[in-house]
Amino acid sequence: MKKLIAFWLVVIVLMMGSCMSHIAQAEAPTLTLKILREREDWEPGTIKTMIYFVSQEYDCNADIVIWLVEKESSFRVDVYGDSNKAFRLGQFHKSTWEYFQNKYNRHDLEIDNPVNQIEMICLALKDKQFKHWTPFSTYKNHPPL
């Protein structure tokens, strides 16, 4: 009798675990660029995580992107530089942004969206467009390109 009770307890526990894993999987959506693009609250830690994810999606070196974003904006999404001509994480000038939109046919990317900024950085760096960012010319110890 004890063996039978123990058997049924094991079966119940296994069934509960199986149900719980399905619930956990259903509650945790798969991270996608679409989900990231809709996010509104960004902190340096979450920006770094986002950079790793986007860099992987674009097959780009995340360490170089992180280094560049740290130099350009200190991971702040609300920063403007060059007398308010350079925007946000990647410190894009509007004319440079439009140039890249045309070059890569990515008019779907918006300059005010932090994820789009990282996407555009990845596209440009993969295309060896380093000259568009001052840190690559002024810092001698930049990451290997």
Side-chain angles (χ1 to χ4, degrees), residues 11-39:
V11 169
I12 290 170
V13 168
L14 288 174
M15 287 176 59
M16 286 178 59
S18 175
C19 291
M20 295 303 284
S21 70
H22 291 298
I23 290 170
Q25 289 174 359
E27 291 175 359
T30 303
L31 187 61
T32 64
L33 285 174
K34 182 179 185 303
I35 290 170
L36 283 174
R37 288 182 189 124
E38 294 169 0
R39 185 181 177 123

Side-chain angles (χ1 to χ4, degrees), residues 111-126:
I111 196 168
D112 289 330
N113 185 298
V115 178
N116 289 176
Q117 286 246 336
I118 301 306
E119 290 177 276
M120 195 67 86
I121 289 171
C122 286
L123 288 168
L125 294 182
K126 282 183 67 170

